């Protein structure tokens, strides 16, 4: 928050390049993020950049909506009109995204799949597109946001990005389910082997019990009939 305040002051009262400043701030966020959260780096980077792309979409869409609804107010800095439009955009974009993350994404974020080693490249690509379109095409970010066609283009980029993210989530869930099924099958196989081994021991015990009964019967028969020599030979 402190860095974000410094960024706003730097943009308002200095001639520093906004794109360079945004890049430095983003780099600082990434360093803090990776230091504070201990998990797989690819997983963290995927989540960070995907949500960064969504935040860019919310900001640009809110500014474009402000320009359409309030006209000249959109050219002023930090007006109530921008806050109002941003609340509306959050209700349309962020609230459904929250339920999507809670119901689906949280199921894969706890996995430790190898795919996290390279999936982070997907949101990175879209982030580079965002960065280029907002800061490197010869117009400032305010002009880009005020341009309806530009905002629609970025909206389509985010829709495509979300579809790619969603397919990645589904593939990871499917892979996780396959791994779970394999583990369950392995457990069932081990249980079957244990059952077969136990059944074999039960059969051996049953056979031994039968043999003992047979021997006891013959010994008693020899004893009752007084055939001690035959009993000795049998023993």
């Amino acid at each position: 928050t402190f860095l974000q305040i410094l960024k706003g002051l730097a943009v308002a009262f200095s001639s520093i390049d906004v794109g360079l400043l945004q890049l430095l701030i983003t780099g600082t966020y990434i360093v803090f993020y990776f230091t504070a959260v201990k998990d797989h780096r690819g997983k963290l980077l995927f989540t960070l950049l995907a949500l960064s792309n969504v935040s860019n979409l919310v900001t640009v869409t809110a500014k474009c909506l402000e320009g359409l609804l309030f006209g000249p107010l959109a050219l002023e800095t930090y007006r109530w009109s921008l806050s109002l439009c941003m609340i509306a955009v959050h209700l349309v974009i962020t609230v459904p995204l929250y339920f999507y993350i809670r119901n689906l994404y949280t199921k894969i974020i706890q996995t430790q799949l190898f795919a996290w080693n390279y999936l982070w490249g997907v949101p990175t690509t879209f982030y580079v597109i965002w960065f280029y379109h907002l800061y490197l095409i010869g117009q400032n970010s305010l002009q880009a946001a005020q341009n309806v066609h530009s905002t629609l283009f970025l909206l389509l980029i985010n829709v495509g990005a979300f579809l790619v993210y969603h397919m990645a989530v589904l593939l990871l869930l499917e892979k996780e389910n396959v791994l779970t099924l394999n583990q369950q099958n392995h457990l069932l196989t081990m249980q079957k082997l244990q059952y077969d081994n136990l059944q074999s021991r039960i059969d051996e015990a049953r056979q031994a019990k039968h043999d003992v009964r047979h021997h006891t019967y013959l010994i008693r028969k020899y004893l009752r009939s007084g055939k001690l020599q035959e009993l000795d030979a049998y023993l």
Side-chain angles (χ1 to χ4, degrees):
T1 303
F2 179 70
L3 287 174
Q4 195 66 33
I5 294 173
L6 291 181
K7 173 195 170 184
L9 293 175
V11 171
F13 300 105
S14 70
S15 59
I16 189 172
D17 182 77
V18 178
L20 178 60
L21 182 61
Q22 180 63 35
L23 187 62
L24 292 175
I25 293 295
T26 301
T28 306
Y29 287 165
I30 291 176
V31 172
F32 172 77
Y33 178 60
F34 282 113
T35 303
V37 184
K38 305 299 182 183
D39 209 327
H40 190 282
R41 294 299 175 88
K43 186 191 306 182
L44 295 179
L45 195 57
F46 181 95
T47 305
L48 175 65
L49 292 175
L51 292 180
S52 295
N53 292 336
V54 173
S55 67
N56 286 332
L57 176 65
V58 170
T59 303
V60 171
T61 305
K63 197 63 181 177
C64 181
L65 184 62
E66 182 191 23
L68 294 175
L69 296 179
F70 298 98
L73 288 179
L75 299 177
E76 301 181 18
T77 305
Y78 301 120
R79 297 288 297 183
W80 59 269
S81 55
L82 177 60
S83 298
L84 183 63
C85 292
M86 190 164 289
I87 291 174
V89 175
H90 272 304
L91 292 176
V92 175
I93 296 177
T94 312
V95 173
L97 180 64
Y98 163 76
F99 289 102
Y100 177 84
I101 291 176
R102 189 186 68 173
N103 296 329
L104 197 61
Y105 189 64
T106 51
K107 294 180 180 179
I108 69 165
I109 200 64
Q110 300 175 10
T111 63
Q112 300 296 331
L113 299 174
F114 179 79
W116 289 116
N117 291 325
Y118 55 84
L119 275 179
W120 59 269
V122 177
T124 301
T125 302
F126 289 109
Y127 186 84
V128 170
I129 295 175
W130 267 102
F131 191 86
Y132 174 80
H133 195 80
L134 289 177
Y135 302 111
L136 300 178
I137 61 173
Q139 61 179 354
N140 60 44
S141 56
L142 177 61
Q143 292 173 333
Q146 291 291 315
N147 188 331
V148 177
H149 296 91
S150 176
T151 301
L152 288 177
F153 170 77
L154 294 175
L155 176 61
L156 292 176
I157 288 294
N158 262 264
V159 171
F162 177 77
L163 291 177
V164 175
Y165 300 153
H166 182 62
M167 291 303 299
V169 168
L170 294 181
L171 289 174
L172 289 176
L173 284 176
E174 183 178 356
K175 189 170 184 179
E176 179 68 12
N177 290 335
V178 170
L179 291 176
T180 301
L181 288 176
N182 288 338
Q183 293 175 352
Q184 292 176 348
N185 289 336
H186 177 71
L187 180 61
L188 289 175
T189 301
M190 295 300 297
Q191 290 177 344
K192 186 177 184 304
L193 289 175
Q194 293 177 350
Y195 173 79
D196 292 342
N197 184 48
L198 180 61
Q199 188 62 43
S200 177
R201 292 180 179 275
I202 291 175
D203 293 339
E204 291 175 358
R206 184 179 291 113
Q207 183 63 40
K209 186 175 181 180
H210 176 269
D211 293 342
V212 169
R213 287 179 177 176
H214 178 70
H215 295 318
T216 303
Y217 170 77
L218 289 178
I219 291 173
R220 286 177 177 172
K221 183 177 180 181
Y222 285 132
L223 286 174
R224 290 171 180 171
S225 60
K227 298 179 180 179
L228 298 182
Q229 292 182 353
E230 288 83 350
L231 174 59
D232 184 67
Y234 177 74
L235 292 174

